[in-house]
């Protein structure tokens, strides 16, 4: 699942390409999404490129190509292009996510289920999580995994594939599957899934510094990020880990 801002940007680029055949500039994208800097646009484009929605062509200005659109938008009528020379304020047709009370960003579906034997439990695998530089938040459910109840605690759970090496000293390696209990609070010292600025998700150890939240890596090569509490949403707590050899 794309974040709200990723989807907004992808639709805006698609609209401009359909209307004029020329991708919008970084300044136009920044203004359309009401972002303060172009660095935020760069992160969004990188995330869309990594997920296979966009492609950037080297050595060309404004060289952005839309490769595909999310399945949820397939078949939807194309938006009307803006008049020539006018930079229209973008209004998305799909707006759920972010801090919406109805559908919080990055909330996995409740598909946890117990099989007929009463022993194995199936939980959804919700794409990838960064154990390194934060990446854009959680994708669609890719598949499911069946685990023994010994790997779980009470409540609802989901799993994520780890990418990166910032948690190696906590025994979490690139390619591991982490099992996360869904909750929006955690204790200092817990390893959590943190959503930063409604845009980026990362797996880090939670520390509290006064009124601020510190996201601490378990690798000295990475710096601890200290953020205001309004910038961080706790999406779950690590309860177990699955490793395949």
């Amino acid at each position: 699942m794309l974040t709200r801002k990723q989807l907004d940007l992808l639709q805006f680029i698609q609209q401009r390409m359909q209307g004029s055949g020329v991708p919008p500039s970084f300044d136009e994208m920044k203004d359309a999404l009401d972002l303060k800097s172009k660095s935020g646009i760069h992160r969004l484009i990188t995330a869309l490129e990594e997920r296979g929605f966009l492609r950037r062509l080297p050595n060309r200005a404004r060289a952005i190509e839309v490769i595909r659109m999310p399945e949820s938008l397939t078949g939807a009528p194309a938006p009307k292009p803006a008049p020539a020379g006018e930079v229209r304020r973008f209004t998305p047709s799909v707006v759920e996510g972010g801090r919406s009370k109805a559908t919080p960003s990055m909330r996995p579906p409740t598909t946890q289920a117990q099989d007929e034997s009463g022993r194995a439990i199936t939980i959804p695998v919700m794409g990838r999580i960064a154990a390194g530089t934060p990446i854009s938040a959680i994708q669609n459910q890719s598949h499911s995994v069946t685990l023994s109840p010994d790997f779980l605690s009470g409540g609802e759970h989901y799993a994520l594939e780890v990418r990166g090496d910032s948690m190696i000293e906590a025994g979490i390696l690139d390619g591991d599957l982490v099992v996360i209990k869904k909750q929006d609070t955690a204790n200092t010292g817990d390893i959590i899934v943190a959503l930063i600025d409604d845009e980026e998700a990362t797996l880090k150890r939670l520390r509290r510094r006064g009124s601020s939240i510190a996201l601490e890596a378990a690798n000295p090569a990475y710096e601890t990020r200290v953020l205001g509490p309004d910038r961080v949403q706790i999406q779950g707590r690590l309860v177990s880990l699955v490793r395949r050899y």
Side-chain angles (χ1 to χ4, degrees), residues 25-187:
S25 68
F26 270 49
D27 283 323
E28 291 170 338
M29 289 185 273
K30 174 177 68 69
D31 292 341
L33 270 68
D34 289 323
L35 296 181
K36 295 181 180 180
S37 69
K38 289 186 284 188
S39 62
I41 294 296
H42 183 271
R43 288 196 301 270
L44 293 172
I45 288 177
T46 299
L48 290 168
E49 187 175 27
E50 289 174 349
R51 283 163 171 71
F53 291 98
L54 292 181
R55 177 167 55 200
R56 285 183 287 191
L57 305 178
N59 304 318
R60 290 175 55 188
R62 297 195 185 190
I64 300 175
E65 178 183 4
V66 177
I67 299 175
R68 65 186 179 94
M69 296 294 288
E71 292 182 3
S72 61
L73 300 182
T74 302
K80 296 180 180 180
E86 178 182 339
V87 178
R88 184 176 60 188
R89 179 68 61 189
F90 176 59
T91 303
S93 58
V94 179
V95 298
E96 298 299 325
R99 296 186 184 273
S100 168
K101 294 181 180 179
T103 310
S105 174
M106 209 183 75
R107 176 172 293 176
T110 56
T111 58
Q112 182 171 312
Q114 192 169 7
D115 70 7
E116 294 179 358
S117 68
R119 292 179 299 213
I121 295 178
T122 300
I123 63 173
V125 179
M126 299 299 298
R128 299 175 178 176
I129 185 71
T133 303
I135 58 175
S136 296
I138 308 303
Q139 304 171 34
N140 290 323
Q141 177 179 346
S142 56
H143 59 286
S144 298
V145 62
T146 301
L147 302 172
S148 164
D150 294 337
F151 283 88
L152 308 172
S153 56
E156 296 180 13
H157 298 76
Y158 59 98
L160 296 165
E161 298 175 2
V162 174
R163 288 293 177 265
D165 61 357
S166 76
M167 298 301 291
I168 56 175
E169 292 189 1
I172 302 171
L173 308 181
D174 183 72
D176 284 347
L177 193 70
V178 289
V179 179
I180 306 298
K181 178 182 177 181
K182 290 172 59 176
Q183 57 186 71
D184 57 11
T185 61
N187 297 320

